[in-house]
Amino acid sequence: MRISGFSLDCERLPAPLPIWRATVRAETWLVVARTVAETGGRLLALWASDRTQGASGGLAISAAYVVRDGLLWLDLPLAGRAATYPDLMPFFPCAGRMQRAAADLVGVAAEGASDRRPWLNHGAWPDDYLPLRRDGAPRSAAAPREVTDYPFVRVDGDGVHEIPVGPVHAGIIEPGHFRFSVVGEKVQRLEQRLGYTHKGIEKRFTELPPFQAHRLAGRISGDSTVAYAWAYCMALESLAGCRIGERATWLRALLLERERVANHLGDLGALGNDAAFAFGLAQFSTLREDWLRLSHHAFGHRLMMDLVVPGGVATDVDQAMAARLSGQCELIERQVQELQQVYDEHPGLQDRFLTTGRVSPDLAARLGLTGLAGRASGQAADLRCDRPWAPYDQLDVRLATRGDGDVAARVSVRFDELRESLRLIRVLLSRLPDGRTRSELRLPTKVALGAGWVEGWRGEIFVALEWDGEQGANCIRRCHCHDPSWQNWPVLEHAIMGNIVPDFPLINKSFNLSYSGHDL
């Protein structure tokens, strides 16, 4: 692979999308990062691994970049006790929290990093506990240290005061802490504290049989269960060198688009409610409930959990059900069209939406804003359009973008994507090919790597899977799952600056990021 004239010795993984992998040294690690940044590439994910096996292996840091030719997965082995690596924050600001998480979980540190505060470790772990090290338990009998206050960055000046919000919130919502520094009602700075839903997901993967782990992947973030399960299965099928049947691929896309519609319907209602427009919440909640009920009737689960399985899908659609699903799309499309006109022409809504929580295209590019929120700030990236894999390579997906980067733009992108997904579902149902819904996988009896990359409703879901076929039945050595919320949570801190505190719920909902998918 060549990146702006720089040659890299890579192997291509047998995945539906162009995914390349290489092992590099520290100097090359920096050169590649700089080159990717200078040529408009993006950092997709960063994670650490402990590959110690007897007297061989060791610690490693990995990064996944989105480049012109696809996805580049780089591994940097770390020598001995010097578990350090070159800092990526000068090139990709979004790397900061990922590097802090890697330090908490594996004990590897970025050289010269300006922020070394713990991220996922809230102080309740023993001092020497590194959950993803191969030796598992703490290396001493030390008791958990006393939980101390997180050192938030202070804002000084006349009239500045702090408003702490969370981690427990009013309503049914995941936990996260938000520390506002304000003057009057205007926000000068927001700093987040996440990690309250850390569940040890990545450790749990290594304890599960590979043909059962897709169920865990589908529960990382329940609103993206199809996207996560597809990404995990793609990674497993990649390392097995398995090509799944055409009908199974089309059914996966059908499920993924139904998941996208369900979330956009819910968000559009909630955004209306956060702007004191309860009518919008009532209407969209009704549409979403009807949508989920038909999903349950057609597939056996309202959120379509456990339907994407290794080798294909665990469901099928007959002609009668296909007609019902398609008919529902036509009905909801008409109702959404009417509701969009109501939203667009409602002066109170537009007053709350326009110019609120703005992220300029330049800032979005520098901070790595991705997915739906990125497309509302001029970042025209959607895997279904940019690197369409089957069946999207036959569907001609229309990209939805805006350039204003405010709440209104994020609402508009949702409306556009909602209509496009309804169209895609009808096309998928009308052209659903014959064939098998599941293929057999034969996993290798050696060390192998696989990767999955899927455009979920929130943005790109990425799964990196390391397989050790020499170690018995439970052979997952490492499974890293990445949510686009890792990139987008830090951008939310910028989006609120200069706005008033009461607008935060609206701005936050317009991003609608995942706590659970981030915390793992």
Side-chain angles (χ1 to χ4, degrees):
M1 172 183 281
R2 297 188 67 82
I3 305 174
S4 185
F6 179 78
S7 182
L8 200 61
D9 185 17
C10 301
E11 62 169 329
R12 179 164 180 173
L13 301 181
L17 292 96
I19 301 177
W20 306 81
R21 180 186 168 274
T23 300
V24 299
R25 294 179 296 182
E27 55 269 25
T28 306
W29 172 269
L30 272 181
V31 169
V32 171
R34 181 182 299 108
T35 305
V36 170
E38 290 174 349
T39 55
R42 295 183 288 115
L43 175 67
L44 179 62
L46 182 144
W47 68 101
S49 305
D50 184 356
R51 295 171 180 165
T52 304
Q53 191 65 46
S56 62
L59 304 180
I61 189 74
S62 303
Y65 296 105
V66 179
V67 296
R68 184 187 61 185
D69 294 331
L71 186 144
L72 174 61
W73 170 356
L74 284 189
D75 280 339
L76 172 62
L78 304 180
R81 294 183 177 273
T84 61
Y85 59 94
D87 182 14
L88 294 188
M89 275 198 68
F91 313 109
F92 301 101
C94 63
R97 293 180 180 179
M98 303 181 210
Q99 293 179 163
R100 290 163 65 188
D104 288 345
L105 297 173
V106 184
V108 299
E111 299 167 356
S114 58
D115 190 349
R116 292 182 177 271
R117 292 174 296 172
W119 185 242
L120 297 179
N121 183 354
H122 285 211
W125 301 349
D127 285 335
D128 58 351
Y129 182 47
L130 300 169
L132 295 185
R133 285 289 185 100
R134 300 282 283 187
D135 53 12
R139 288 178 292 283
S140 74
R145 63 177 181 267
E146 182 180 351
V147 178
T148 57
D149 289 338
Y150 182 74
F152 287 96
V153 175
R154 301 285 182 178
V155 176
D156 296 322
D158 292 339
V160 177
H161 65 283
E162 291 186 346
I163 303 176
V165 177
V168 178
H169 302 280
I172 303 172
I173 183 174
E174 295 177 286
H177 183 88
F178 302 94
R179 185 67 60 94
F180 297 89
S181 297
V182 302
V183 174
E185 280 288 314
K186 187 166 290 188
V187 178
Q188 304 299 312
R189 178 185 174 87
L190 166 64
E191 188 172 2
Q192 301 154 355
R193 178 66 167 132
L194 304 178
Y196 295 94
T197 65
H198 178 66
K199 303 166 289 296
I201 291 286
E202 294 179 297
K203 179 67 174 179
R204 182 65 179 136
F205 268 114
T206 65
E207 301 166 348
L208 291 175
F211 291 113
Q212 293 296 319
H214 68 283
R215 300 185 70 242
L216 179 61
R219 286 159 175 78
I220 289 173
S221 186
D223 58 12
S224 302
T225 182
V226 174
Y228 269 104
W230 192 348
Y232 171 82
C233 290
M234 185 187 292
L236 191 67
E237 292 151 5
S238 167
L239 67 84
C242 170
R243 292 175 59 88
I244 69 171
E246 189 178 14
R247 185 177 182 86
T249 304
W250 283 63
L251 286 169
R252 283 182 175 182
L254 170 65
L255 299 172
L256 185 66
E257 295 309 316
R258 284 194 66 87
E259 180 170 85
R260 197 181 314 275
V261 170
N263 282 286
H264 287 349
L265 289 173
D267 282 355
L268 288 168
L271 284 161
N273 189 58
D274 280 342
F277 190 55
F279 170 81
L281 175 64
Q283 295 298 311
F284 277 108
S285 295
T286 300
L287 295 180
R288 182 174 185 269
E289 179 61 25
D290 291 342
W291 190 261
L292 295 178
R293 287 183 180 185
L294 187 54
S295 290
H296 184 267
H297 185 72
F299 307 113
H301 197 290
R302 287 164 60 88
L303 300 182
M304 301 173 294
M305 283 187 172
D306 301 331
L307 298 179
V308 177
V309 298
V313 292
T315 188
D316 206 346
V317 175
D318 59 23
Q319 290 187 351
M321 182 53 69
R324 284 191 64 184
L325 294 169
S326 184
Q328 186 188 46
C329 289
E330 295 174 4
L331 175 63
I332 285 192
E333 185 173 35
R334 290 195 298 270
Q335 294 173 299
V336 166
Q337 191 105 10
E338 295 174 1
L339 286 169
Q340 183 174 13
Q341 185 175 356
V342 171
Y343 271 45
D344 289 346
E345 295 177 358
H346 192 287
L349 272 185
Q350 293 305 310
D351 181 63
R352 292 293 305 279
F353 288 174
L354 289 167
T355 72
T356 302
R358 186 169 186 271
V359 180
S360 69
D362 178 66
L363 181 63
R366 284 190 284 116
L367 297 182
L369 187 64
T370 187
L372 180 152
R375 290 189 286 276
S377 291
Q379 307 308 299
D382 186 327
L383 280 179
R384 300 173 301 160
C385 307
D386 306 336
R387 297 173 180 87
W389 72 104
Y392 290 107
D393 55 353
Q394 303 177 51
L395 299 180
D396 191 25
V397 180
R398 301 163 188 163
L399 182 67
T401 60
R402 292 291 187 277
D404 292 333
D406 54 6
V407 171
R410 292 186 280 276
V411 168
S412 294
V413 168
R414 280 181 169 89
F415 273 116
D416 290 349
E417 291 193 355
L418 178 51
R419 282 194 301 271
E420 178 63 2
S421 289
L422 292 171
R423 181 189 75 84
L424 291 173
I425 290 170
R426 292 197 294 270
V427 172
L428 287 162
L429 290 167
S430 66
R431 293 166 50 188
L432 194 62
D434 296 328
R436 298 175 298 173
T437 59
R438 194 165 185 180
S439 304
E440 182 182 1
L441 266 69
R442 295 182 180 274
L443 299 177
T445 57
K446 60 179 182 179
V447 173
L449 302 175
W453 192 20
V454 172
E455 186 72 37
W457 72 268
R458 192 179 271 117
E460 296 157 291
I461 302 294
F462 173 69
V463 173
L465 187 60
E466 300 182 19
W467 168 259
D468 191 346
E470 302 172 350
Q471 299 302 313
N474 298 336
C475 303
I476 296 176
R477 185 169 66 182
R478 180 78 165 91
C479 183
H480 175 70
C481 299
H482 181 86
D483 194 277
S485 301
W486 277 99
Q487 272 85 353
N488 293 358
W489 274 119
V491 184
L492 178 61
E493 294 181 338
H494 292 262
I496 185 62
M497 288 194 295
N499 291 262
I500 60 174
V501 174
D503 274 339
F504 177 70
L506 179 64
I507 298 169
N508 187 24
K509 189 61 187 179
S510 72
F511 282 80
N512 194 8
L513 305 177
S514 175
Y515 297 80
S516 183
H518 167 281
D519 294 347
L520 290 174

